[in-house]
Amino acid sequence: MTPIAILFLVIATVLVWGGLVASIVFLARRPEVASYPDGGIAHDDRDEDDL
């Protein structure tokens, strides 16, 4: 392996495993969403024929 290949291997490894560790830390600190945005259908006015 050339030195540039080893350098890119290290960079890719740090990016992938660092992202995994950052995601685990984030989920450990905030495991659930505090609030959800409004959305969805309040009243289902559609006929069953439309489905």
Side-chain angles (χ1 to χ4, degrees):
M1 273 184 141
T2 63
I4 192 74
I6 294 172
L7 175 68
F8 278 104
L9 175 68
V10 170
I11 290 172
T13 303
V14 168
L15 282 175
V16 170
W17 288 103
L20 177 65
V21 169
S23 299
I24 290 171
V25 168
F26 178 78
L27 288 174
R29 288 185 177 181
R30 303 177 72 190
E32 294 185 13
V33 176
S35 64
Y36 292 99
D38 294 333
I41 299 171
H43 302 288
D44 193 8
D45 294 335
R46 297 178 292 175
D47 294 333
E48 289 187 28
D49 295 336
D50 293 340
L51 299 175

